[in-house]
């Protein structure tokens, strides 16, 4: 059986250079082969793999912030594979085996030490693939809320409405419920107006609907609606349900505040009362003046 063409070529090159390089010929040839494979891997990544990744990301509709870390991960894997092949092609199999043994032991130790980091990294991958939220979205989780400013493979940075920056481990956002009110094109807002038991429910309902129809921020379709939802101790609860468009851009907090203010002003004009809680204290026995601390009982 004849020797592989690559080996024959290497032997031929070594034989040609030996008169000039002497005993360093083998070392220099192996190093040149190693470098050539690494460079070829880099060129392959830049010219072919990067282009294929770009097309795949375009097909999946990934945002720019999601592409960068994924590109880095793929680049690292390709380079690692190229270096591994380069060690084998250069004849460094013994060194490669030793390196693999050391890498396996180091990976095990690092895996135990960096469990939380790995957990957050995996959670970050799920955030990129599932896309439960994007940069600029308003999210709520575990009693917190804010606007997403940055998503990395380890943490997500959220700016609260008090202008505080929260650095949230990705695992916290994938292991619990996350509410994304601006994920869809429309958003329904609800508000309960409490009126007195003696007030007319139909009149109050008409006012609530009329003020919703007057607002430019509230959609006509779906139409505003009102439901009687509570018969509380001191008031009758009328729940208003309104819809706004493009919640990621609209100031829906202001829209709801303006709407509630307009309804309150109409209630005042129509003498519809918004009652406050009342408590009556009573007892069986007649009340008597308690004895002073220093007097006789």
């Amino acid at each position: 059986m004849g020797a592989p063409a690559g080996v024959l070529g290497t032997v031929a090159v070594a034989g040609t250079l030996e008169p000039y390089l002497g005993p360093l010929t083998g070392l220099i040839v192996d190093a040149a082969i190693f470098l050539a494979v690494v460079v070829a891997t880099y060129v392959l990544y830049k010219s072919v793999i990067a282009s294929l990744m770009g097309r795949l990301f375009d097909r999946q509709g990934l945002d720019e912030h999601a592409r960068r870390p994924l590109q880095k991960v793929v680049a690292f894997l390709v380079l690692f594979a190229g270096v591994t092949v380069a060690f084998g092609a250069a004849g460094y199999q013994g060194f490669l085996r030793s390196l693999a043994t050391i890498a396996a032991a180091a990976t095990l130790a690092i895996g135990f030490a960096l469990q939380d980091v790995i957990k957050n990294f995996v959670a970050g991958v799920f955030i990129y693939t599932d896309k439960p939220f994007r940069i600029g979205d308003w999210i709520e989780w575990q009693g917190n809320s804010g606007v997403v400013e940055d998503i990395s493979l380890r943490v997500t940075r959220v700016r609260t409405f008090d202008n505080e920056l929260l650095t949230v481990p990705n695992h916290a956002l994938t292991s619990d419920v996350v509410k994304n009110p601006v994920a869809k094109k429309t958003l329904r807002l609800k508000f309960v107006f409490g009126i007195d038991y003696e007030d007319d429910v139909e009149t109050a309902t008409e006012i609530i609907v009329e003020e919703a129809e007057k607002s430019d921020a509230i959609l006509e379709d779906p139409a505003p609606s009102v439901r009687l939802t509570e018969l509380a101790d001191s008031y009758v609860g009328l729940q208003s349900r309104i819809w706004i468009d493009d919640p990621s851009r609209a100031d829906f907090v202001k829209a709801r505040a303006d709407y509630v203010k307009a309804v309150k002003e109409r209630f005042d004009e129509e003498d519809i009362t918004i009652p406050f809680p009342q408590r009556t204290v009573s007892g069986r026995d007649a009340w008597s003046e308690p004895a002073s601390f220093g007097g006789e009982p």
Side-chain angles (χ1 to χ4, degrees), residues 183-202:
K184 302 299 182 180
K185 294 182 179 180
T186 57
L187 175 66
R188 188 177 75 173
L189 304 178
K190 295 183 291 185
F191 189 86
V192 176
F193 295 94
I195 64 173
D196 195 274
Y197 272 89
E198 297 181 357
D199 291 330
D200 184 62
V201 173
E202 295 299 327

Side-chain angles (χ1 to χ4, degrees), residues 3 17 25 37 49 52-53 61 71 74 85 89 103 111 118 145 170 175 189 200 207 214 256 285:
L17 297 177
T25 302
V37 174
I49 299 178
L52 292 177
M53 279 197 306
Q71 287 172 342
V74 174
V85 173
I118 295 173
S145 63
N170 286 332
S175 61
L189 304 178
D200 184 62
I207 291 174
K214 291 179 182 179
R256 182 172 61 182
D285 301 326

Side-chain angles (χ1 to χ4, degrees), residues 36-47:
V37 174
V38 172
V39 171
T41 303
Y42 177 79
V43 173
L44 177 67
Y45 170 78
K46 282 294 187 179
S47 60

Side-chain angles (χ1 to χ4, degrees), residues 21-34:
L21 302 177
L24 297 178
T25 302
L27 180 62
I28 294 177
V29 169
D30 291 342
I33 294 174
F34 177 85

Side-chain angles (χ1 to χ4, degrees), residues 12-296:
V13 171
T16 304
L17 297 177
E18 187 171 5
Y20 304 98
L21 302 177
L24 297 178
T25 302
L27 180 62
I28 294 177
V29 169
D30 291 342
I33 294 174
F34 177 85
L35 183 61
V37 174
V38 172
V39 171
T41 303
Y42 177 79
V43 173
L44 177 67
Y45 170 78
K46 282 294 187 179
S47 60
V48 179
I49 299 178
S51 178
L52 292 177
M53 279 197 306
R55 295 176 185 175
L56 178 62
F57 293 160
D58 290 339
R59 188 179 304 171
Q60 296 296 324
L62 288 181
D63 296 333
E64 184 62 29
H65 75 272
R67 297 186 181 210
R68 289 195 297 268
L70 292 178
Q71 287 172 342
K72 292 180 180 179
V73 170
V74 174
F76 172 79
L77 293 176
V78 172
L79 180 60
F80 180 79
V83 170
T84 303
V85 173
F87 274 121
Y92 298 148
Q93 286 87 353
F95 176 77
L96 188 60
R97 283 192 294 269
S98 301
L99 183 64
T101 303
I102 296 173
T107 301
L108 183 62
I110 292 173
F112 281 113
L114 301 179
Q115 292 184 48
D116 289 340
V117 174
I118 295 173
K119 181 169 58 177
N120 288 321
F121 176 84
V122 174
V125 172
F126 284 133
I127 291 176
Y128 283 122
T129 55
D130 296 341
K131 293 184 287 190
F133 50 82
R134 299 169 180 262
I135 290 178
D137 285 358
W138 164 35
I139 62 173
E140 298 179 358
W141 80 101
Q142 298 178 357
N144 301 296
S145 63
V147 178
V148 179
E149 285 200 344
D150 181 60
I151 304 172
S152 69
L153 286 174
R154 190 180 66 85
V155 298
T156 296
R157 293 174 177 84
V158 180
R159 178 75 62 178
T160 70
F161 297 110
D162 295 328
N163 203 33
E164 299 171 333
L165 182 63
L166 302 182
T167 301
V168 188
N170 286 332
H171 177 68
L173 297 176
T174 56
S175 61
D176 205 346
V177 176
V178 176
K179 180 191 292 186
N180 186 348
V182 299
K184 302 299 182 180
K185 294 182 179 180
T186 57
L187 175 66
R188 188 177 75 173
L189 304 178
K190 295 183 291 185
F191 189 86
V192 176
F193 295 94
I195 64 173
D196 195 274
Y197 272 89
E198 297 181 357
D199 291 330
D200 184 62
V201 173
E202 295 299 327
T203 301
T205 299
E206 291 176 1
I207 291 174
I208 294 172
V209 173
E210 287 175 2
E211 293 304 318
E213 293 174 343
K214 291 179 182 179
S215 175
D216 295 333
I218 298 174
L219 294 175
E220 297 179 358
D221 185 20
S225 62
V226 179
R227 297 289 185 272
L228 196 159
T229 58
E230 295 183 60
L231 294 176
D233 294 338
S234 57
Y235 68 90
V236 176
L238 301 177
Q239 185 185 79
S240 173
R241 303 177 181 182
I242 57 176
W243 292 81
I244 63 170
D245 187 25
D246 197 3
S248 63
R249 296 183 180 276
D251 189 349
F252 48 85
V253 176
K254 182 179 184 301
R256 182 172 61 182
D258 291 343
Y259 167 59
V260 172
K261 179 182 177 182
V263 173
K264 172 64 169 60
E265 292 174 351
R266 282 289 305 280
F267 277 2
D268 293 342
E269 293 174 3
E270 302 293 336
D271 294 327
I272 294 178
T273 306
I274 299 179
F276 52 86
Q278 300 181 14
R279 296 290 183 270
T280 301
V281 180
S282 61
R284 292 183 179 180
D285 301 326
W287 181 83
S288 60
E289 182 75 23
S292 65
F293 289 105
E296 295 294 330

